[in-house]
Amino acid sequence: MTIAEHDVRTEASTPAVATMSMAAALNLALADAIQADPEVVVFGEDVGALGGVFRITDGLTARFGEDRCFDTPLAESGIVGTAVGMAMNGMRPVVELQFDAFALPAFEQVVSHVAKLGNRTRGGVRMPLVIRIPFGGGIGGVEHHCDSSEAYYAHTPGLTVVSPSTPQDAYSLLRAAIASPDPVIFLEPKKLYWAKGEVDTSVTAEIGTARVAREGTDVTLLAYGSSVPLALEVAEVAAAEGRSVQVVDVRSLSPFDDETVTAAVRSTGRAVVIAEAPGYVSVASEIQARVFERCFEYLEAPVRRVTGFDTPYAPPKLEHWYLPDVDRVLDAIDSLHWEDEK
Amino acid sequence: MTIAEHDVRTEASTPAVATMSMAAALNLALADAIQADPEVVVFGEDVGALGGVFRITDGLTARFGEDRCFDTPLAESGIVGTAVGMAMNGMRPVVELQFDAFALPAFEQVVSHVAKLGNRTRGGVRMPLVIRIPFGGGIGGVEHHCDSSEAYYAHTPGLTVVSPSTPQDAYSLLRAAIASPDPVIFLEPKKLYWAKGEVDTSVTAEIGTARVAREGTDVTLLAYGSSVPLALEVAEVAAAEGRSVQVVDVRSLSPFDDETVTAAVRSTGRAVVIAEAPGYVSVASEIQARVFERCFEYLEAPVRRVTGFDTPYAPPKLEHWYLPDVDRVLDAIDSLHWEDEK
Amino acid sequence: MQDTDMLPREEAVQLIDQDGAVVADDHYALPDTASLLRAYRGLVEGRRINDQASALVRQGRLAVYPSSHGQEACQIGVALALAETDWLFPTYRDSVAVIARGVSAADALVLLKGDWHSGYDVKTHRVAPQATPLATQLLHAVGFAYAAKQRGEDTVVVALCGDGATSEGDFHEAMNFAAVFHVPVVFFVQNNGFAISVPLSRQTAAPSLAHKAIGYGMPGQRVDGNDVAAVLAVLGEAVERARTGGGPALIEAHTYRMQAHTNADDDTRYRERAEVQAWVARDPLTRLRAHLTASGVLDEALDAEYAAGAETIAQAMRDALNADAELDPEDLFRFVTAARSPQLEEQWQLLRGEIDRTPAETSGGAR
Amino acid sequence: MQDTDMLPREEAVQLIDQDGAVVADDHYALPDTASLLRAYRGLVEGRRINDQASALVRQGRLAVYPSSHGQEACQIGVALALAETDWLFPTYRDSVAVIARGVSAADALVLLKGDWHSGYDVKTHRVAPQATPLATQLLHAVGFAYAAKQRGEDTVVVALCGDGATSEGDFHEAMNFAAVFHVPVVFFVQNNGFAISVPLSRQTAAPSLAHKAIGYGMPGQRVDGNDVAAVLAVLGEAVERARTGGGPALIEAHTYRMQAHTNADDDTRYRERAEVQAWVARDPLTRLRAHLTASGVLDEALDAEYAAGAETIAQAMRDALNADAELDPEDLFRFVTAARSPQLEEQWQLLRGEIDRTPAETSGGAR
Ligand SMILES: Cc1ncc(C[n+]2csc(CCOP(=O)(O)OP(=O)(O)O)c2C)c(N)n1
Ligand SMILES: Cc1ncc(C[n+]2csc(CCOP(=O)(O)OP(=O)(O)O)c2C)c(N)n1
Ligand SMILES: [Mg+2]
Ligand SMILES: [Mg+2]
């Protein structure tokens, strides 16, 4: 299936509202960004004629030419390292790394240069580049194709790390990421690529802000990426059981929106953090720790987290046991000292 | 200064007690391990004739020959990748990567293979290799020479991550790491290389265990690496002010000794985590989160952390403002709701 | 060795042309008839394995299959060039070589079926797990060979990768370590013209990939990768040189991936059908069949016998893959480290509790 | 270009021998007298900068200094071969080249003094920050050149690295990207025989580092790195070819690091004094002085004038480095990202509170 077949392509100049998949929204954001700014260039492995293994860059080369969207040799450090040089020379590179595990060869470039060049030069050189990574599991992929590596990036000072959970955020956050003067690690939940939603191209997103995805009064679920639809599903089930569940889409993993998150958890007094990645030393542990610290006086129960296990990602046939699911989150909610309730 | 000048070299066969620097203890552990097991090989950049930039491998090539300790081409992924192959073929490689930042080119090999090969092969192939990294700051080093990257490794399932804070642990933990059937990231706090202490070569260490470094009843400091001496210094100052501070040397960052840590914090009801690395999504956040979760009912105040800032490591002349110090830890302790005390 | 002796020939070595005719070569001898017949049988089986696996993907029994259809001369050549005590370091595309090395098809396909990350005992078959992260396994091969050399064993290691993988930093580091430590490794690059959709012209501007060898101080050679005779001759020479202390070598085999990258790929997006068609004439199987038939060593009966043998393997593949393996979720925690940490045990107990509470009829399958 | 034209010569190009005599070359012309005189002056200044910086280390004013003493012909050759609009991507060892490019010594040494991670405005001088992680900057150079080429600018980028750095994966990826995208980059490797303590024989088994070029499809050349005339000629040719659309090139300069890796190093551990001594005779300065003196263009008065000019630079270095810079701890938070995040602001407020509470007399220095 190609995105062109979805027939959602819109001219950048005409703000439009349409229902489309997250993949289509990302494709549209890239096309609009290329059109809006002559310095935007998209490159990586298989992003040209093929349109990317997930077809996110579908049609861009045909439409804008090799100068704006092109394939590179197969070398991730090379891709990120040349992007650094292009950014130093005024371009706004948007690179695709094919899967989380295949972003790892570029890790030195990301940590030692992408994250630090702006600081090193006292802002004399900025790094307005975006590294897009199809991220996470839940698609039955074999080893090295389902990892979640947000912790590596979020821990690294100087990097902005975001992950959308809706087509709207996919569009708006990607546009914001490309417009940002700072380097952005843009994590695209593979599992949600084909989930549809409404996209209004005139809506802008502000990096660094969380979004309350559902109101609720008893407990707050804090999630991002593919865990957001899971949290919403949990909220539905819990509602049927009489529990009012609030869902916050953290969205911006770094910087973090303490204001929204703290206010949300204080309002319910209970919280569960959900994420696919192994939980140990993770974004989930960070959220858990800071919520604990900032909401200590308001908590009815310890903040819990439901995450992937601290094991390598499961093979496809065991994936369903590995990933956080509705029951596991409900169990965590159940453990939040409800017996103390009057 | 060479380690040979310290004149602490001891034959492996004769257990001995002597006072020596951490550098000398590490050198001794390597020598003893080479002597004890014909499959142990030490290699990396400058570890041969030079004895390593920190002289940790001083004299090993001269004593045991090029077959047991040798220099490689300058390529960290190459060093770790060949170590993987050697381990597959029965060797026990102990590699040195020169500084935290220069371990990054090997990150893909570490995450995708070192950490996962045992799991991939259902234990058919084990990875008994040790990656030694001189780690952390406080030595006035220029950019890329003072980073703390334990979070990257601790987050990665399959890796064991340890860091000694005393010459005794340096010796015993390194011997344990080399003897381990699993891959170990061995983080050597540069700042402590020349600090001396007693080493008894007959003492063994168990990976996965924390160590209560000082008893105390009012508050628990949780630290590792170079933060342990800092915590002990804080405890001294606090004692003078009438506060009894317990210090736990976490030592094993993964796996983590929940038992010791939880018992310690429950006994005091207050805790501060100390680490040099940027705090966001860090080992410190993990410790903070799990202590919160496990000690919730016992806590008089929120668990705090004192860490490096979420900025690139400071240049030498600003380092003293960047690193956790006695005052900053004392401030954190002061914030732990003592006003509630009767 | 003169410096320029490390450069490959201008033209790839070919011993049997696409019509089955023998090409005279003043350096490489045509393998003997028995070897060619054995190779032919391997090609027949290899082709059948590829096609059966692709069929199993269509039937939903395999999650994914990167076929080596068209590249079987490389796959079989590699398997036959190695002694039993030698080691192979393959990639995801090298299932046929792995099977030809003695691994059962059922075990070889565990990864692609999705039961586990690798399904065979690497030590029994002397085959490393198939590597997915590109070029990384080349370094493992070097380290493995280093250890063998240190012990005085005469093991040779053959490391496989594709044209795309030569662009990775690890390719460079592996070639360099191998040359500096003079270890018995042969790097065998299957240049099939594409890295997924990216053509060779986007991977390199060099006269050939084999021209990289001199930059490390090892010999490079190019071979017609659809001519199993040439593959056997060139690889055989490099393996023997490595075995007798001559150090590493780089061999580039010119071949073509006749199908899409995997079933998930759509190769009509990036290459012309005419180009694919042109390679049909260079098929490794047909040319060797023509050669052996013309030489009178292969007749219809023998060919049918080989086909029947291949069918037996295909049947075993169907049997193995149509059966659902009993999977144990505790396996997730069993092999992460040698001893299970308290944290992992705690996580297993959580999962175990969930499993115990899951109604029996669904506990084995997807929730 | 014929394939083998990409191979370097058997011997490094040399235009002036170690005694100052001109070496006839049928391809490279000796630079004119004005250029040589300018280069000589650069060498005098470069040597003085190196020695002054080393002295400042001994006086505790610089944290560390990786000296290019002995490599000045490379440093100055590079600076002079570039047009003003060209760009230089240097390493930690290339301070002399950076200064020769127009950066003030005070600004160039900020990193090594410890005040900040880089001290000059890269855009004014068209010099990237000096790179510490080896070979990483080569990729930046390629990307930079790519952008220049896309815009139709005639900028050439020269990327520097050492012999050790050629072993890194990033070296390979940079060479390959440069060749595939045919960008105007010249890779200039200063092969000084050592990577800290590790000799060249542990970095490569190749006939020369320049032999790597053909494996990427670009020309490689070797030059006597202690002969500034040869460096200017060979580098000049490559820069001009790049400027006129001829694509990238790799140049290996054979030179020697006369001092330890840095002041923190002890080179007696890994090399014989006799070897170091042998290179004294090949010093880049003395041979050019001999040549220019013999040619009658340099006399004692002019030499003294150059020495005085160098002394002025040295004096400026002393002045700059003996003064303590006013450092602002808030800088730690100012440049991490374009806008300061609430988290960083919170952390700055924490530090600011501490600073406010610190007794005035200690607040500027170490606690
Ligand atoms: C480090 C890394 N980057 C990207 C990928 C994704 N990927 C899988 S196969 C492939 C193309 C490989 O091409 P080539 O090396 O020519 O081998 P072929 O598939 O043609 O056999 C890519 C990009 C990967 N597996 N590993
Ligand atoms: C990726 C990386 N690994 C290791 C180091 C540590 N290191 C700094 S300089 C050096 C030697 C470099 O040798 P070479 O490239 O020959 O340059 P030279 O110092 O001789 O100029 C090493 C190993 C580093 N800076 N970066
Ligand atoms: Mg290929
Ligand atoms: Mg060098």
Side-chain angles (χ1 to χ4, degrees):
Chain A
M1 170 168 48
T2 73
I3 291 182
E5 287 160 19
H6 284 253
D7 198 24
V8 291
R9 197 165 290 133
T10 316
E11 286 304 307
S13 36
T14 356
V17 183
T19 296
M20 65 182 83
S21 66
M22 183 184 287
L26 293 166
N27 181 265
L28 185 61
L30 290 173
D32 288 356
I34 287 173
Q35 218 161 34
D37 182 345
E39 296 298 354
V40 171
V41 284
V42 173
F43 57 98
E45 294 159 11
D46 302 295
V47 298
L50 186 63
V53 293
F54 290 102
R55 304 292 184 270
I56 307 304
T57 58
D58 189 36
L60 297 181
T61 302
R63 188 165 162 209
F64 300 106
E66 271 263 321
D67 285 352
R68 309 301 299 281
C69 177
F70 58 95
D71 291 327
T72 65
L74 209 169
E76 293 78 10
S77 189
I79 291 168
V80 174
T82 48
V84 167
M86 292 181 197
M88 286 178 78
N89 201 355
M91 284 185 156
R92 289 187 172 264
V94 182
V95 305
E96 174 173 308
L97 300 178
Q98 225 157 53
F99 289 87
D100 277 77
F102 309 146
L104 300 176
F107 202 59
E108 181 192 29
Q109 285 287 350
V110 171
V111 174
S112 291
H113 293 300
V114 172
K116 291 188 176 140
L117 249 163
N119 188 66
R120 181 175 308 142
T121 58
R122 306 177 70 87
V125 168
R126 282 277 157 222
M127 281 288 111
L129 65 86
V130 178
I131 299 179
R132 294 180 37 244
I133 308 177
F135 125 96
I139 57 158
V142 296
E143 202 186 13
H144 305 294
H145 290 78
C146 292
D147 307 282
S148 295
S149 50
E150 65 272 28
Y152 301 141
Y153 302 110
H155 177 60
T156 305
L159 298 179
T160 298
V161 186
V162 300
S163 185
S165 75
T166 64
Q168 179 67 62
D169 271 353
Y171 180 87
S172 305
L173 277 176
L174 185 51
R175 292 300 304 270
I178 296 172
S180 168
D182 296 314
V184 180
I185 307 292
F186 194 87
L187 301 170
E188 304 172 357
K190 298 183 207 70
K191 198 183 162 186
L192 304 183
Y193 268 149
W194 305 108
K196 292 194 177 187
E198 198 163 88
V199 174
D200 178 343
T201 61
S202 68
V203 169
T204 57
E206 201 191 330
I207 290 174
T209 62
R211 179 177 67 90
V212 177
R214 179 184 170 120
E215 294 294 350
T217 52
D218 293 338
V219 54
T220 303
L221 300 182
L222 302 165
Y224 55 88
S226 70
S227 297
V228 174
L230 169 63
L232 291 170
E233 202 185 330
V234 168
E236 281 300 319
V237 178
E241 291 172 5
R243 222 162 243 167
S244 169
V245 175
Q246 183 189 43
V247 176
V248 177
D249 181 353
V250 164
R251 211 161 60 162
S252 180
L253 311 190
S254 179
F256 187 80
D257 185 353
D258 280 310
E259 202 178 313
T260 302
V261 169
T262 304
V265 177
R266 287 185 180 177
S267 78
T268 64
R270 288 181 174 85
V272 176
V273 187
I274 317 173
E276 264 186 52
Y280 196 71
V281 188
S282 67
V283 171
S285 20
E286 174 64 41
I287 297 176
Q288 189 184 20
R290 56 200 306 126
V291 166
F292 254 127
E293 200 169 344
R294 281 153 210 264
C295 305
F296 188 65
E297 324 275 297
Y298 299 79
L299 291 175
E300 307 286 345
V303 180
R304 300 284 184 206
R305 57 176 129 153
V306 176
T307 65
F309 298 124
D310 295 317
T311 70
Y313 194 86
K317 296 275 178 64
L318 291 171
E319 188 182 43
H320 61 289
W321 294 120
Y322 178 89
L323 289 172
D325 66 2
V326 172
D327 288 340
R328 198 172 292 161
V329 179
L330 286 172
D331 286 352
I333 294 176
D334 283 346
S335 77
L336 300 178
H337 299 199
W338 301 96
E339 60 286 1
D340 305 344
E341 290 290 84
K342 57 243 111 189
Chain B
M1 172 167 44
T2 75
I3 292 184
E5 289 161 17
H6 284 254
D7 197 26
V8 291
R9 198 166 289 129
T10 315
E11 284 305 306
S13 35
T14 357
V17 184
T19 296
M20 65 183 82
S21 68
M22 182 184 287
L26 293 165
N27 180 264
L28 185 60
L30 291 171
D32 287 356
I34 287 174
Q35 215 160 38
D37 183 344
E39 296 299 353
V40 171
V41 284
V42 173
F43 57 98
E45 295 159 10
D46 303 297
V47 299
L50 186 62
V53 292
F54 290 103
R55 305 291 185 270
I56 308 303
T57 58
D58 188 36
L60 296 180
T61 302
R63 185 165 164 210
F64 300 106
E66 271 264 322
D67 285 352
R68 308 302 299 281
C69 178
F70 58 94
D71 290 326
T72 65
L74 209 169
E76 294 77 11
S77 189
I79 291 168
V80 174
T82 49
V84 166
M86 291 181 199
M88 288 179 77
N89 201 356
M91 284 185 157
R92 290 188 171 262
V94 182
V95 305
E96 173 172 311
L97 300 178
Q98 224 158 57
F99 289 87
D100 277 77
F102 309 146
L104 300 175
F107 201 60
E108 180 190 30
Q109 286 286 352
V110 170
V111 173
S112 290
H113 294 300
V114 171
K116 290 187 176 142
L117 249 163
N119 187 66
R120 180 175 308 142
T121 58
R122 306 176 69 85
V125 169
R126 282 276 156 224
M127 280 290 112
L129 64 85
V130 178
I131 299 179
R132 294 180 38 243
I133 309 177
F135 125 98
I139 56 157
V142 296
E143 204 186 13
H144 306 293
H145 290 78
C146 291
D147 306 283
S148 295
S149 51
E150 65 270 29
Y152 300 141
Y153 302 111
H155 177 61
T156 306
L159 297 179
T160 298
V161 186
V162 300
S163 185
S165 75
T166 64
Q168 178 66 61
D169 271 355
Y171 180 87
S172 305
L173 277 175
L174 185 50
R175 292 299 304 269
I178 296 172
S180 168
D182 296 313
V184 179
I185 307 292
F186 194 88
L187 302 171
E188 304 173 356
K190 296 182 206 77
K191 198 182 161 185
L192 305 183
Y193 268 150
W194 305 107
K196 292 195 178 186
E198 198 162 89
V199 174
D200 178 345
T201 61
S202 68
V203 170
T204 57
E206 201 190 331
I207 290 173
T209 61
R211 179 177 67 89
V212 177
R214 179 185 172 120
E215 295 295 350
T217 52
D218 293 338
V219 54
T220 303
L221 299 182
L222 302 164
Y224 55 88
S226 69
S227 297
V228 175
L230 169 62
L232 291 170
E233 200 186 331
V234 168
E236 280 300 317
V237 178
E241 293 171 4
R243 222 161 243 167
S244 168
V245 175
Q246 183 189 43
V247 176
V248 177
D249 180 354
V250 165
R251 215 162 56 163
S252 180
L253 311 190
S254 179
F256 187 79
D257 185 352
D258 280 311
E259 203 179 312
T260 303
V261 170
T262 305
V265 177
R266 286 185 181 178
S267 77
T268 63
R270 289 181 172 86
V272 176
V273 188
I274 316 174
E276 262 186 55
Y280 196 69
V281 189
S282 67
V283 170
S285 21
E286 174 64 40
I287 298 175
Q288 189 184 21
R290 55 200 307 126
V291 165
F292 253 127
E293 200 170 344
R294 282 153 209 263
C295 305
F296 189 64
E297 323 276 297
Y298 299 79
L299 291 175
E300 308 285 345
V303 180
R304 300 282 183 210
R305 55 175 129 150
V306 176
T307 66
F309 298 123
D310 294 318
T311 70
Y313 194 87
K317 296 275 179 64
L318 291 171
E319 190 181 42
H320 62 289
W321 294 119
Y322 178 88
L323 289 172
D325 67 3
V326 172
D327 288 340
R328 199 172 290 160
V329 179
L330 286 173
D331 286 351
I333 293 176
D334 284 345
S335 77
L336 299 179
H337 298 199
W338 301 96
E339 60 287 0
D340 305 346
E341 289 291 84
K342 57 241 110 191
Chain C
M1 183 183 273
Q2 283 282 77
D3 288 0
T4 45
D5 288 351
M6 291 188 254
L7 291 175
R9 292 190 186 173
E10 284 290 308
E11 298 286 329
V13 175
Q14 191 185 56
L15 298 180
I16 298 178
D17 74 12
Q18 63 182 60
D19 302 319
V22 172
V23 180
D25 193 283
D26 55 9
H27 181 80
Y28 295 102
L30 191 70
D32 62 28
T33 305
S35 301
L36 290 180
L37 216 44
R38 201 154 63 111
Y40 177 70
R41 184 189 186 136
L43 294 181
V44 171
E45 293 173 357
R47 177 64 49 85
R48 188 69 192 90
I49 290 166
N50 273 326
D51 293 348
Q52 180 60 71
S54 295
L56 286 163
V57 168
R58 288 189 297 273
Q59 293 151 27
R61 304 304 310 180
L62 275 180
V64 62
Y65 184 70
S67 178
S68 63
H69 187 121
Q71 303 180 210
E72 290 92 348
C74 294
Q75 299 283 307
I76 299 302
V78 153
L80 295 182
L82 291 180
E84 206 189 314
T85 48
D86 292 340
W87 272 74
L88 181 68
F89 280 71
T91 77
Y92 53 89
R93 194 173 303 287
D94 303 311
S95 300
V96 167
V98 169
I99 295 168
R101 195 66 195 138
V103 175
S104 79
D107 286 353
L109 296 173
V110 160
L111 166 68
L112 303 171
K113 190 181 173 202
D115 290 350
W116 197 254
H117 314 295
S118 178
Y120 48 90
D121 179 39
V122 305
K123 287 175 182 164
T124 308
H125 301 287
R126 301 197 177 83
V127 179
Q130 287 176 267
T132 303
L134 295 164
T136 54
Q137 77 283 2
L138 305 178
L139 282 164
H140 308 167
V142 172
F144 199 96
Y146 180 94
K149 183 186 168 196
Q150 283 297 104
R151 283 204 204 92
E153 295 163 3
D154 74 349
T155 311
V156 174
V157 179
V158 172
L160 305 180
C161 76
D163 46 311
T166 65
S167 297
E168 289 281 6
D170 273 6
F171 171 84
H172 176 68
E173 300 189 13
M175 296 280 290
N176 195 41
F177 272 64
V180 166
F181 291 114
H182 204 69
V183 298
V185 172
V186 178
F187 299 96
F188 187 73
V189 178
Q190 289 167 77
N191 174 359
N192 62 9
F194 288 90
I196 308 185
S197 69
V198 181
L200 186 68
S201 59
R202 226 353 108 83
Q203 295 303 339
T204 187
S208 83
L209 295 172
H211 276 80
K212 293 183 185 296
I214 193 172
Y216 303 100
M218 67 173 84
Q221 192 52 288
R222 320 167 66 175
V223 62
D224 179 341
N226 283 16
D227 172 8
V228 74
V231 171
L232 283 170
V234 172
L235 200 49
E237 180 188 61
V239 166
E240 275 324 298
R241 188 177 45 234
R243 197 183 308 290
T244 52
L250 169 66
I251 297 169
E252 174 187 15
H254 296 275
T255 182
Y256 198 80
R257 194 191 72 210
M258 296 302 287
Q259 297 177 350
H261 174 69
T262 68
N263 50 294
D265 181 36
D266 172 8
D267 69 335
T268 62
R269 286 179 160 248
Y270 56 81
R271 59 186 187 181
E272 298 295 334
R273 288 312 89 189
E275 181 186 302
V276 181
Q277 242 359 81
W279 278 86
V280 171
R282 301 177 214 164
D283 190 272
L285 242 166
T286 49
R287 79 167 72 175
L288 189 55
R289 183 186 297 127
H291 170 72
L292 292 172
T293 309
S295 325
V297 287
L298 182 70
D299 58 15
E300 276 187 23
L302 190 56
D303 212 5
E305 187 188 315
Y306 289 169
E311 197 47 44
T312 308
I313 298 174
Q315 183 61 49
M317 286 169 73
R318 290 193 296 274
D319 292 347
L321 292 170
N322 285 325
D324 273 324
E326 278 278 343
L327 300 183
D328 180 354
E330 193 176 353
D331 281 357
L332 290 175
F333 303 92
R334 279 203 174 99
F335 312 112
V336 183
T337 42
R340 198 178 303 179
S341 72
Q343 282 85 46
L344 284 184
E345 180 57 23
E346 194 177 303
Q347 292 172 25
W348 162 236
Q349 291 307 332
L350 174 86
L351 175 57
R352 185 196 171 114
E354 291 176 6
I355 294 171
D356 288 349
R357 280 176 283 134
T358 307
E361 65 272 22
T362 66
S363 70
R367 288 213 271 194
Chain D
M1 184 182 277
Q2 284 282 76
D3 288 0
T4 44
D5 288 350
M6 290 189 255
L7 290 175
R9 292 190 186 173
E10 284 290 309
E11 297 286 329
V13 175
Q14 190 185 58
L15 298 180
I16 298 179
D17 74 11
Q18 63 182 62
D19 302 320
V22 172
V23 180
D25 193 284
D26 56 11
H27 181 80
Y28 294 103
L30 191 70
D32 61 28
T33 303
S35 302
L36 289 180
L37 216 44
R38 201 155 64 111
Y40 177 71
R41 183 188 186 137
L43 293 181
V44 170
E45 292 173 357
R47 177 64 49 86
R48 189 69 192 90
I49 291 166
N50 274 325
D51 293 346
Q52 179 63 69
S54 295
L56 286 162
V57 169
R58 286 190 297 274
Q59 292 151 26
R61 305 306 308 180
L62 277 179
V64 62
Y65 185 70
S67 177
S68 64
H69 187 120
Q71 303 180 210
E72 290 93 348
C74 294
Q75 299 284 308
I76 298 302
V78 153
L80 295 182
L82 291 180
E84 205 189 315
T85 49
D86 293 340
W87 272 74
L88 180 69
F89 279 70
T91 77
Y92 52 90
R93 194 172 304 288
D94 303 311
S95 300
V96 166
V98 169
I99 295 168
R101 198 59 199 142
V103 175
S104 79
D107 286 354
L109 295 173
V110 159
L111 166 69
L112 302 172
K113 188 181 175 202
D115 290 349
W116 197 255
H117 313 295
S118 178
Y120 48 89
D121 179 39
V122 305
K123 287 175 181 164
T124 308
H125 301 287
R126 301 196 177 84
V127 179
Q130 288 176 269
T132 302
L134 297 164
T136 55
Q137 77 282 2
L138 305 177
L139 282 162
H140 308 167
V142 172
F144 198 96
Y146 180 95
K149 183 186 169 195
Q150 283 298 104
R151 285 206 201 92
E153 295 162 4
D154 74 348
T155 310
V156 174
V157 179
V158 172
L160 305 181
C161 76
D163 46 310
T166 66
S167 296
E168 290 280 5
D170 273 6
F171 171 84
H172 176 69
E173 300 189 16
M175 296 280 290
N176 194 42
F177 272 65
V180 165
F181 291 113
H182 205 68
V183 298
V185 172
V186 178
F187 299 97
F188 187 73
V189 178
Q190 289 168 76
N191 174 359
N192 60 10
F194 288 90
I196 308 186
S197 68
V198 182
L200 186 69
S201 58
R202 227 351 111 79
Q203 294 302 340
T204 187
S208 83
L209 294 171
H211 277 80
K212 294 183 184 296
I214 193 172
Y216 303 99
M218 67 174 83
Q221 192 53 284
R222 318 166 68 174
V223 62
D224 180 340
N226 284 15
D227 172 8
V228 74
V231 170
L232 283 170
V234 172
L235 200 49
E237 180 188 61
V239 166
E240 274 325 297
R241 188 176 47 235
R243 196 183 310 287
T244 52
L250 170 65
I251 297 169
E252 174 187 14
H254 296 275
T255 182
Y256 198 80
R257 194 192 73 209
M258 296 301 288
Q259 298 178 349
H261 174 69
T262 67
N263 49 295
D265 181 34
D266 172 9
D267 69 336
T268 63
R269 286 179 159 246
Y270 55 80
R271 59 185 188 182
E272 298 295 334
R273 288 312 89 189
E275 181 186 302
V276 181
Q277 239 5 74
W279 279 86
V280 171
R282 302 179 212 162
D283 190 90
L285 242 165
T286 48
R287 79 168 73 174
L288 190 55
R289 181 184 299 128
H291 170 73
L292 292 173
T293 308
S295 324
V297 287
L298 182 71
D299 57 16
E300 275 185 27
L302 188 57
D303 211 5
E305 186 189 318
Y306 289 169
E311 198 46 45
T312 309
I313 299 176
Q315 182 61 50
M317 286 169 72
R318 289 193 297 272
D319 292 347
L321 292 169
N322 285 326
D324 274 322
E326 277 278 344
L327 300 183
D328 181 355
E330 192 176 355
D331 281 357
L332 290 175
F333 303 90
R334 278 201 175 99
F335 313 111
V336 183
T337 42
R340 198 178 304 181
S341 73
Q343 282 84 45
L344 283 185
E345 180 58 23
E346 197 177 300
Q347 293 172 25
W348 162 236
Q349 291 307 331
L350 174 85
L351 175 57
R352 185 196 170 114
E354 292 175 5
I355 293 171
D356 289 348
R357 280 175 284 133
T358 305
E361 66 273 23
T362 67
S363 70
R367 286 215 271 194

